[in-house]
């Protein structure tokens, strides 16, 4: 009985595979990435990022001002171009000691085809520092599969 069950299971499996290929389906092994990349980290053409993190105002980097005489909590506006179907987390990294950011939540699924809209915002907690102090941090965005960054320049001045 056990042999009959194994033979039947094998025959049905083979018939299903042949039917899938004949009817236009592709076996999972044939659909794996050709580059040898891990399927869990690679993207299909349908999943490819259609959004881009850009520096607000252009120029390749974004800047924010801290004041020499007092602590300041400036907002950092985030521009995403294109469209996205999942939430995009945003934030700042490579911050100097004493500087933190306040997460206002993820950017919801949407689109910015015109390239002129702000998609998200968060704020930085900037303690007072001597005027002329500059630090190059990182503005980042991730959809969970891809992380994009642009430079975020923090500059302390006598007056913002």
């Amino acid at each position: 009985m056990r042999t009959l069950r194994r033979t039947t299971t094998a025959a049905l499996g083979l018939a299903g595979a042949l039917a899938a290929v004949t009817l236009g389906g592709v076996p999972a092994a044939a659909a794996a990435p050709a580059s040898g990349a891990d399927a869990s980290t690679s993207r299909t053409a349908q999943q490819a990022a259609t959004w881009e993190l850009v520096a607000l105002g252009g120029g390749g980097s974004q800047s924010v001002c801290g004041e020499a005489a007092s602590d300041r909590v400036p907002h950092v506006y985030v521009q995403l171009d294109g469209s996205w179907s999942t939430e995009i987390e945003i934030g700042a990294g490579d911050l100097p000691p004493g500087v933190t950011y306040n997460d206002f939540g993820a950017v919801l699924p949407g689109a910015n085809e015109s390239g002129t809209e702000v998609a998200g915002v968060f704020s930085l907690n900037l303690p007072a520092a001597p005027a002329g102090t500059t630090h190059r941090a990182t503005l980042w965005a991730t959809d969970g599969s891809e992380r994009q960054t642009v430079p975020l320049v923090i500059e302390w001045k006598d007056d913002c």
Side-chain angles (χ1 to χ4, degrees), residues 127-149:
T133 301
T134 301
H135 182 84
R136 188 177 177 106
T138 303
L139 172 61
W140 57 262
T142 181
D143 61 6
S145 295
E146 180 175 330
R147 181 181 174 105
Q148 298 181 16
T149 62

PDB file of all heavy atoms in Angstrom, residues 127-149:
ATOM      1  N   PRO A 127      21.198  70.438  20.001  1.00  0.00           N
ATOM      2  CA  PRO A 127      21.662  71.257  21.112  1.00  0.00           C
ATOM      3  C   PRO A 127      22.519  72.412  20.582  1.00  0.00           C
ATOM      4  O   PRO A 127      23.035  72.351  19.463  1.00  0.00           O
ATOM      5  CB  PRO A 127      22.499  70.286  21.948  1.00  0.00           C
ATOM      6  CG  PRO A 127      22.936  69.236  20.986  1.00  0.00           C
ATOM      7  CD  PRO A 127      21.864  69.143  19.943  1.00  0.00           C
ATOM      8  N   ALA A 128      22.640  73.445  21.355  1.00  0.00           N
ATOM      9  CA  ALA A 128      23.489  74.575  20.963  1.00  0.00           C
ATOM     10  C   ALA A 128      24.919  74.083  20.748  1.00  0.00           C
ATOM     11  O   ALA A 128      25.392  73.172  21.431  1.00  0.00           O
ATOM     12  CB  ALA A 128      23.450  75.650  22.041  1.00  0.00           C
ATOM     13  N   ALA A 129      25.584  74.686  19.777  1.00  0.00           N
ATOM     14  CA  ALA A 129      26.981  74.355  19.470  1.00  0.00           C
ATOM     15  C   ALA A 129      27.631  75.612  18.904  1.00  0.00           C
ATOM     16  O   ALA A 129      26.934  76.517  18.428  1.00  0.00           O
ATOM     17  CB  ALA A 129      27.061  73.206  18.474  1.00  0.00           C
ATOM     18  N   PRO A 130      28.935  75.709  18.953  1.00  0.00           N
ATOM     19  CA  PRO A 130      29.606  76.919  18.452  1.00  0.00           C
ATOM     20  C   PRO A 130      29.258  77.202  16.992  1.00  0.00           C
ATOM     21  O   PRO A 130      29.181  76.286  16.169  1.00  0.00           O
ATOM     22  CB  PRO A 130      31.096  76.592  18.606  1.00  0.00           C
ATOM     23  CG  PRO A 130      31.159  75.524  19.639  1.00  0.00           C
ATOM     24  CD  PRO A 130      29.898  74.737  19.487  1.00  0.00           C
ATOM     25  N   ALA A 131      29.047  78.478  16.677  1.00  0.00           N
ATOM     26  CA  ALA A 131      28.786  78.890  15.294  1.00  0.00           C
ATOM     27  C   ALA A 131      29.945  78.432  14.416  1.00  0.00           C
ATOM     28  O   ALA A 131      31.112  78.498  14.824  1.00  0.00           O
ATOM     29  CB  ALA A 131      28.609  80.398  15.205  1.00  0.00           C
ATOM     30  N   GLY A 132      29.625  77.959  13.240  1.00  0.00           N
ATOM     31  CA  GLY A 132      30.644  77.458  12.321  1.00  0.00           C
ATOM     32  C   GLY A 132      30.847  75.957  12.402  1.00  0.00           C
ATOM     33  O   GLY A 132      31.525  75.375  11.550  1.00  0.00           O
ATOM     34  N   THR A 133      30.258  75.317  13.412  1.00  0.00           N
ATOM     35  CA  THR A 133      30.345  73.866  13.515  1.00  0.00           C
ATOM     36  C   THR A 133      29.488  73.249  12.412  1.00  0.00           C
ATOM     37  O   THR A 133      28.353  73.663  12.190  1.00  0.00           O
ATOM     38  CB  THR A 133      29.830  73.377  14.890  1.00  0.00           C
ATOM     39  OG1 THR A 133      30.616  73.986  15.920  1.00  0.00           O
ATOM     40  CG2 THR A 133      29.910  71.863  15.005  1.00  0.00           C
ATOM     41  N   THR A 134      30.039  72.272  11.722  1.00  0.00           N
ATOM     42  CA  THR A 134      29.316  71.589  10.645  1.00  0.00           C
ATOM     43  C   THR A 134      29.481  70.086  10.816  1.00  0.00           C
ATOM     44  O   THR A 134      30.563  69.613  11.180  1.00  0.00           O
ATOM     45  CB  THR A 134      29.868  72.006   9.263  1.00  0.00           C
ATOM     46  OG1 THR A 134      29.721  73.417   9.120  1.00  0.00           O
ATOM     47  CG2 THR A 134      29.119  71.330   8.141  1.00  0.00           C
ATOM     48  N   HIS A 135      28.415  69.360  10.572  1.00  0.00           N
ATOM     49  CA  HIS A 135      28.468  67.894  10.633  1.00  0.00           C
ATOM     50  C   HIS A 135      27.704  67.325   9.451  1.00  0.00           C
ATOM     51  O   HIS A 135      26.603  67.770   9.141  1.00  0.00           O
ATOM     52  CB  HIS A 135      27.862  67.374  11.937  1.00  0.00           C
ATOM     53  CG  HIS A 135      27.940  65.890  12.057  1.00  0.00           C
ATOM     54  ND1 HIS A 135      29.060  65.249  12.527  1.00  0.00           N
ATOM     55  CD2 HIS A 135      27.049  64.924  11.734  1.00  0.00           C
ATOM     56  CE1 HIS A 135      28.848  63.945  12.497  1.00  0.00           C
ATOM     57  NE2 HIS A 135      27.631  63.721  12.016  1.00  0.00           N
ATOM     58  N   ARG A 136      28.281  66.334   8.806  1.00  0.00           N
ATOM     59  CA  ARG A 136      27.632  65.677   7.668  1.00  0.00           C
ATOM     60  C   ARG A 136      26.974  64.387   8.165  1.00  0.00           C
ATOM     61  O   ARG A 136      27.648  63.410   8.474  1.00  0.00           O
ATOM     62  CB  ARG A 136      28.658  65.387   6.583  1.00  0.00           C
ATOM     63  CG  ARG A 136      28.059  64.879   5.295  1.00  0.00           C
ATOM     64  CD  ARG A 136      29.190  64.710   4.260  1.00  0.00           C
ATOM     65  NE  ARG A 136      28.701  64.159   3.038  1.00  0.00           N
ATOM     66  CZ  ARG A 136      28.546  64.859   1.923  1.00  0.00           C
ATOM     67  NH1 ARG A 136      28.864  66.133   1.893  1.00  0.00           N
ATOM     68  NH2 ARG A 136      28.096  64.291   0.831  1.00  0.00           N
ATOM     69  N   ALA A 137      25.646  64.402   8.224  1.00  0.00           N
ATOM     70  CA  ALA A 137      24.860  63.242   8.641  1.00  0.00           C
ATOM     71  C   ALA A 137      24.232  62.613   7.392  1.00  0.00           C
ATOM     72  O   ALA A 137      24.593  62.963   6.270  1.00  0.00           O
ATOM     73  CB  ALA A 137      23.780  63.677   9.633  1.00  0.00           C
ATOM     74  N   THR A 138      23.294  61.701   7.595  1.00  0.00           N
ATOM     75  CA  THR A 138      22.649  60.999   6.487  1.00  0.00           C
ATOM     76  C   THR A 138      21.141  61.038   6.647  1.00  0.00           C
ATOM     77  O   THR A 138      20.618  60.719   7.712  1.00  0.00           O
ATOM     78  CB  THR A 138      23.103  59.525   6.451  1.00  0.00           C
ATOM     79  OG1 THR A 138      24.525  59.485   6.358  1.00  0.00           O
ATOM     80  CG2 THR A 138      22.500  58.791   5.280  1.00  0.00           C
ATOM     81  N   LEU A 139      20.450  61.443   5.598  1.00  0.00           N
ATOM     82  CA  LEU A 139      19.000  61.342   5.514  1.00  0.00           C
ATOM     83  C   LEU A 139      18.716  60.026   4.794  1.00  0.00           C
ATOM     84  O   LEU A 139      19.305  59.762   3.743  1.00  0.00           O
ATOM     85  CB  LEU A 139      18.450  62.526   4.710  1.00  0.00           C
ATOM     86  CG  LEU A 139      16.978  62.534   4.330  1.00  0.00           C
ATOM     87  CD1 LEU A 139      16.096  62.520   5.558  1.00  0.00           C
ATOM     88  CD2 LEU A 139      16.677  63.761   3.485  1.00  0.00           C
ATOM     89  N   TRP A 140      17.860  59.171   5.382  1.00  0.00           N
ATOM     90  CA  TRP A 140      17.623  57.872   4.768  1.00  0.00           C
ATOM     91  C   TRP A 140      16.132  57.584   4.626  1.00  0.00           C
ATOM     92  O   TRP A 140      15.305  58.156   5.341  1.00  0.00           O
ATOM     93  CB  TRP A 140      18.316  56.747   5.525  1.00  0.00           C
ATOM     94  CG  TRP A 140      17.940  56.615   6.974  1.00  0.00           C
ATOM     95  CD1 TRP A 140      18.634  57.097   8.047  1.00  0.00           C
ATOM     96  CD2 TRP A 140      16.785  55.959   7.516  1.00  0.00           C
ATOM     97  NE1 TRP A 140      17.980  56.782   9.217  1.00  0.00           N
ATOM     98  CE2 TRP A 140      16.843  56.089   8.918  1.00  0.00           C
ATOM     99  CE3 TRP A 140      15.709  55.281   6.963  1.00  0.00           C
ATOM    100  CZ2 TRP A 140      15.865  55.556   9.768  1.00  0.00           C
ATOM    101  CZ3 TRP A 140      14.725  54.756   7.802  1.00  0.00           C
ATOM    102  CH2 TRP A 140      14.825  54.889   9.193  1.00  0.00           C
ATOM    103  N   ALA A 141      15.822  56.689   3.684  1.00  0.00           N
ATOM    104  CA  ALA A 141      14.461  56.191   3.475  1.00  0.00           C
ATOM    105  C   ALA A 141      14.570  54.732   3.078  1.00  0.00           C
ATOM    106  O   ALA A 141      15.469  54.350   2.341  1.00  0.00           O
ATOM    107  CB  ALA A 141      13.761  56.990   2.383  1.00  0.00           C
ATOM    108  N   THR A 142      13.643  53.910   3.586  1.00  0.00           N
ATOM    109  CA  THR A 142      13.651  52.498   3.239  1.00  0.00           C
ATOM    110  C   THR A 142      12.236  51.961   3.124  1.00  0.00           C
ATOM    111  O   THR A 142      11.360  52.332   3.906  1.00  0.00           O
ATOM    112  CB  THR A 142      14.451  51.653   4.248  1.00  0.00           C
ATOM    113  OG1 THR A 142      14.432  50.284   3.827  1.00  0.00           O
ATOM    114  CG2 THR A 142      13.884  51.754   5.654  1.00  0.00           C
ATOM    115  N   ASP A 143      12.029  51.107   2.142  1.00  0.00           N
ATOM    116  CA  ASP A 143      10.747  50.426   1.989  1.00  0.00           C
ATOM    117  C   ASP A 143      10.824  49.009   2.565  1.00  0.00           C
ATOM    118  O   ASP A 143       9.927  48.204   2.380  1.00  0.00           O
ATOM    119  CB  ASP A 143      10.307  50.399   0.527  1.00  0.00           C
ATOM    120  CG  ASP A 143      11.273  49.657  -0.384  1.00  0.00           C
ATOM    121  OD1 ASP A 143      12.251  49.050   0.100  1.00  0.00           O
ATOM    122  OD2 ASP A 143      11.053  49.697  -1.609  1.00  0.00           O
ATOM    123  N   GLY A 144      11.896  48.707   3.270  1.00  0.00           N
ATOM    124  CA  GLY A 144      12.095  47.388   3.847  1.00  0.00           C
ATOM    125  C   GLY A 144      12.941  46.485   2.966  1.00  0.00           C
ATOM    126  O   GLY A 144      13.525  45.522   3.440  1.00  0.00           O
ATOM    127  N   SER A 145      13.016  46.804   1.682  1.00  0.00           N
ATOM    128  CA  SER A 145      13.829  46.019   0.760  1.00  0.00           C
ATOM    129  C   SER A 145      15.020  46.816   0.252  1.00  0.00           C
ATOM    130  O   SER A 145      16.058  46.264  -0.047  1.00  0.00           O
ATOM    131  CB  SER A 145      12.998  45.581  -0.448  1.00  0.00           C
ATOM    132  OG  SER A 145      11.989  44.699  -0.050  1.00  0.00           O
ATOM    133  N   GLU A 146      14.828  48.102   0.130  1.00  0.00           N
ATOM    134  CA  GLU A 146      15.884  48.972  -0.388  1.00  0.00           C
ATOM    135  C   GLU A 146      16.010  50.192   0.524  1.00  0.00           C
ATOM    136  O   GLU A 146      15.023  50.756   0.956  1.00  0.00           O
ATOM    137  CB  GLU A 146      15.555  49.424  -1.807  1.00  0.00           C
ATOM    138  CG  GLU A 146      16.605  50.329  -2.399  1.00  0.00           C
ATOM    139  CD  GLU A 146      16.323  50.670  -3.856  1.00  0.00           C
ATOM    140  OE1 GLU A 146      15.726  49.853  -4.555  1.00  0.00           O
ATOM    141  OE2 GLU A 146      16.728  51.771  -4.255  1.00  0.00           O
ATOM    142  N   ARG A 147      17.249  50.575   0.795  1.00  0.00           N
ATOM    143  CA  ARG A 147      17.525  51.767   1.610  1.00  0.00           C
ATOM    144  C   ARG A 147      18.252  52.771   0.727  1.00  0.00           C
ATOM    145  O   ARG A 147      19.259  52.447   0.111  1.00  0.00           O
ATOM    146  CB  ARG A 147      18.386  51.389   2.802  1.00  0.00           C
ATOM    147  CG  ARG A 147      18.706  52.536   3.725  1.00  0.00           C
ATOM    148  CD  ARG A 147      19.581  52.029   4.864  1.00  0.00           C
ATOM    149  NE  ARG A 147      20.042  53.087   5.703  1.00  0.00           N
ATOM    150  CZ  ARG A 147      19.584  53.358   6.918  1.00  0.00           C
ATOM    151  NH1 ARG A 147      18.651  52.597   7.437  1.00  0.00           N
ATOM    152  NH2 ARG A 147      20.065  54.349   7.612  1.00  0.00           N
ATOM    153  N   GLN A 148      17.730  54.001   0.671  1.00  0.00           N
ATOM    154  CA  GLN A 148      18.358  55.063  -0.100  1.00  0.00           C
ATOM    155  C   GLN A 148      18.772  56.167   0.863  1.00  0.00           C
ATOM    156  O   GLN A 148      18.118  56.388   1.883  1.00  0.00           O
ATOM    157  CB  GLN A 148      17.393  55.614  -1.151  1.00  0.00           C
ATOM    158  CG  GLN A 148      16.969  54.573  -2.174  1.00  0.00           C
ATOM    159  CD  GLN A 148      16.029  55.130  -3.227  1.00  0.00           C
ATOM    160  OE1 GLN A 148      15.892  56.336  -3.397  1.00  0.00           O
ATOM    161  NE2 GLN A 148      15.369  54.236  -3.943  1.00  0.00           N
ATOM    162  N   THR A 149      19.863  56.865   0.536  1.00  0.00           N
ATOM    163  CA  THR A 149      20.364  57.931   1.408  1.00  0.00           C
ATOM    164  C   THR A 149      20.765  59.157   0.594  1.00  0.00           C
ATOM    165  O   THR A 149      21.083  59.054  -0.588  1.00  0.00           O
ATOM    166  CB  THR A 149      21.610  57.466   2.198  1.00  0.00           C
ATOM    167  OG1 THR A 149      22.655  57.143   1.279  1.00  0.00           O
ATOM    168  CG2 THR A 149      21.301  56.262   3.071  1.00  0.00           C
TER     169      THR A 149
END
